[in-house]
């Protein structure tokens, strides 16, 4: 199942009343300008392909204040989990692991990628976990046209190189999504293998690794309008 | 001449006790594999010593900045050039208390010349 974007309060009401009562629903509240939302949107999308028994609905919190108010949304990203017409859980913030766990709890099924439990073949399970991770990473690097994997957040960088790269992006008025790799070991380690790149920060443009701070500085020396031309 | 070495060639046994084993290794490996026409190694570790991530570090060789000019970079885009270097030192970069970061400037001799010329004109 794919994520359905809510277009109005009536659309929301229609959808939720038309779904069978047994279908769990998860709502994602986001805004278009908050970078953590871009990151979590990608994770939300990915999870929707893994858990096909849940209805995944997405709401632009600012565009639909009435829906946001119904669920008392004061900050984004925000997730609501509904079972049998009742809110069973709410999640605030941008933690992919937490979201993943909450979705798994809501669902009755195992994630689509997992094979039926077998006694032998630990390697099979590992291979599938790796496929899952790579699929997740592929989605993450494409979460925004310009995607920064950094230590910390743009508001609170935890590394001088990450801070400098954020500074450069802001100076060049680049709209970018970001991912705090300090919050997710799987992504932190997985991305090093996925991109054959040992360090962070890592900047991706249209899903392709450009490099780290030193490369971005070099690119701008040769082509100061690099970001404007994207 | 091996320009495609992916692991650093073995360093000769050191006769003395070096205070900068990583720097020595870097200089040796790069010189052997890339035959650079220009090589400068800056140890920027002191600039990061107070950072949270470095709190438990006892090494004085955690952050390096390298400037390398070599024919070996011809025909390779920046990410490929950097990967070449990173692969050479993957052991050191993965080691506990090893090299934490390497900032790289990788230019071909022609690019280096152009850059010198540009800065002389300005």
């Amino acid at each position: 199942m794919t994520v359905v974007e809510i277009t109005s309060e009536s659309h929301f009401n229609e959808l939720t009343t038309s779904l069978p009562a047994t279908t769990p629903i998860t709502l994602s509240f986001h805004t278009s300008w908050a970078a953590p939302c871009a990151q979590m949107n990608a994770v939300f999308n990915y999870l929707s392909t893994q858990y096909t028994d849940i209805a995944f609905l997405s709401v632009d919190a600012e565009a639909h204040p009435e829906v946001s108010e119904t669920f008392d949304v004061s900050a984004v990203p925000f997730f609501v989990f509904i079972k049998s017409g009742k809110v069973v859980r709410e999640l605030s913030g941008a933690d992919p692991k937490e979201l993943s766990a909450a979705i798994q709890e809501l669902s009755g099924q195992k994630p689509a990628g997992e094979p039926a439990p077998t006694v032998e073949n630990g390697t099979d399970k590992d291979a599938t976990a790796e496929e899952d991770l790579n699929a997740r990473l592929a989605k993450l690097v494409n979460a925004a046209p310009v995607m920064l994997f950094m230590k910390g957040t743009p508001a609170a960088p935890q590394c001088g190189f990450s801070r400098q790269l954020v500074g450069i992006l802001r100076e060049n008025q680049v709209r970018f999504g970001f991912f705090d790799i300090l919050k997710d070991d799987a992504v932190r380690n997985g991305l090093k293998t996925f991109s054959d790149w040992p360090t962070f920060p890592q900047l991706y443009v249209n899903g392709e690794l450009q490099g780290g701070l030193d490369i971005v500085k070099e690119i701008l020396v040769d082509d100061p309008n690099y970001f404007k031309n994207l | 001449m091996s320009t495609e070495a992916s692991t650093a060639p073995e360093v000769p046994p050191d006769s003395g006790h070096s205070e900068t084993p990583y720097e020595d290794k870097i200089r040796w490996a790069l010189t052997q594999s890339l035959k650079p026409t220009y090589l400068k190694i800056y140890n920027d570790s002191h600039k990061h010593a107070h950072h949270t991530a470095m709190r438990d570090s006892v090494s004085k060789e955690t952050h390096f900045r390298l400037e390398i000019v070599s024919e070996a970079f011809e025909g390779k885009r920046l990410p490929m050039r950097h990967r070449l270097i990173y692969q050479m030192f993957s052991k050191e970069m993965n080691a506990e208390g090893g090299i934490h970061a390497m900032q790289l400037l990788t230019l071909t001799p022609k690019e280096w010349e152009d850059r010198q010329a540009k800065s002389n004109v300005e």
Side-chain angles (χ1 to χ4, degrees):
Chain A
M1 250 202 266
T2 47
V3 176
V4 179
E5 186 70 35
I6 299 296
T7 54
S8 70
E9 192 181 5
S10 45
H11 181 209
F12 175 74
N13 290 330
E14 257 176 59
L15 266 182
T16 47
T17 47
S18 66
L19 285 167
T22 48
T23 303
I25 302 174
T26 175
L27 288 176
S28 153
F29 288 88
H30 61 88
T31 56
S32 53
W33 46 263
C37 290
Q39 163 192 329
M40 292 307 275
N41 285 346
V43 179
F44 197 66
N45 287 338
Y46 173 72
L47 289 168
S48 73
T49 63
Q50 298 293 296
Y51 294 90
T52 52
D53 63 333
I54 300 179
F56 283 72
L57 306 181
S58 171
V59 183
D60 183 326
E62 286 193 313
H64 307 293
E66 341 73 30
V67 184
S68 307
E69 252 182 66
T70 308
F71 292 94
D72 216 4
V73 179
S74 52
V76 285
F78 192 82
F79 303 92
V80 179
F81 304 89
I82 300 171
K83 224 171 193 169
S84 308
K86 286 218 270 283
V87 174
V88 292
R89 188 158 172 194
E90 289 169 344
L91 202 56
S92 177
D95 187 337
K97 273 207 288 235
E98 258 197 296
L99 177 60
S100 192
I103 298 272
Q104 183 155 27
E105 218 188 289
L106 186 69
S107 164
Q109 62 164 87
K110 290 218 168 290
E114 256 183 49
T118 48
V119 182
E120 78 278 353
N121 257 337
T123 45
D124 244 345
K125 211 153 60 112
D126 291 338
T128 311
E130 199 186 306
E131 275 161 33
D132 275 351
L133 176 63
N134 284 333
R136 183 178 169 215
L137 293 175
K139 287 209 179 242
L140 279 178
V141 302
N142 283 289
V146 179
M147 209 35 210
L148 177 65
F149 291 80
M150 62 179 290
K151 296 185 174 181
T153 64
Q158 296 298 302
C159 145
F161 299 141
S162 290
R163 180 184 299 110
Q164 283 184 58
L165 192 37
V166 168
I168 290 177
L169 292 173
R170 284 179 170 163
E171 260 167 44
N172 286 273
Q173 292 162 328
V174 183
R175 298 199 64 178
F176 65 97
F178 76 90
F179 191 101
D180 180 358
I181 53 106
L182 295 179
K183 292 265 170 67
D184 192 323
D185 269 345
V187 172
R188 181 177 187 169
N189 294 318
L191 214 46
K192 288 185 180 179
T193 312
F194 184 82
S195 299
D196 190 12
W197 200 263
T199 53
F200 290 100
Q202 293 183 10
L203 187 72
Y204 291 77
V205 172
N206 298 322
E208 210 185 292
L209 174 68
Q210 302 301 299
L213 174 67
D214 45 8
I215 290 188
V216 173
K217 281 188 187 170
E218 277 303 294
I219 291 176
L220 289 173
V221 164
D222 288 330
D223 180 10
N225 292 317
Y226 175 71
F227 288 114
K228 299 189 179 60
N229 293 332
L230 282 182
Chain B
M1 173 170 103
S2 162
T3 54
E4 298 304 322
S6 57
T7 51
E10 287 306 303
V11 279
D14 59 352
S15 41
H17 182 66
S18 173
E19 294 239 317
T20 58
Y22 278 145
E23 188 173 323
D24 296 347
K25 171 107 187 232
I26 292 172
R27 183 167 286 111
W28 169 263
L30 291 179
T31 308
Q32 290 295 297
S33 8
L34 301 183
K35 303 274 191 288
T37 54
Y38 177 84
L39 171 63
K40 265 218 111 157
I41 303 178
Y42 298 92
N43 185 336
D44 283 348
S45 309
H46 60 282
K47 294 186 187 168
H48 302 264
H50 58 286
H51 289 171
T52 321
M54 298 288 105
R55 202 161 36 195
D56 299 322
S57 169
V58 291
S59 167
K60 294 218 182 313
E61 294 192 295
T62 55
H63 292 68
F64 285 101
R65 186 166 40 102
L66 313 185
E67 292 179 354
I68 314 166
V69 179
S70 163
E71 276 291 341
F73 297 137
E74 201 67 61
K76 294 186 172 74
R77 303 186 65 205
L78 287 180
M80 270 322 297
R81 299 181 188 185
H82 288 218
R83 280 196 185 95
L84 194 58
I85 313 288
Y86 288 144
Q87 277 159 21
M88 268 190 237
F89 303 108
S90 59
K91 209 168 72 166
E92 289 76 10
M93 291 185 84
N94 281 320
E96 210 30 63
I99 299 176
H100 184 82
M102 282 177 112
Q103 294 290 287
L104 303 174
L105 179 68
T106 52
L107 298 174
T108 61
K110 174 99 199 352
E111 289 165 351
W112 178 249
E113 249 178 66
D114 290 348
R115 201 166 279 213
Q116 304 288 80
K118 243 188 359 187
S119 59
N120 285 339
V121 170
E122 279 155 16

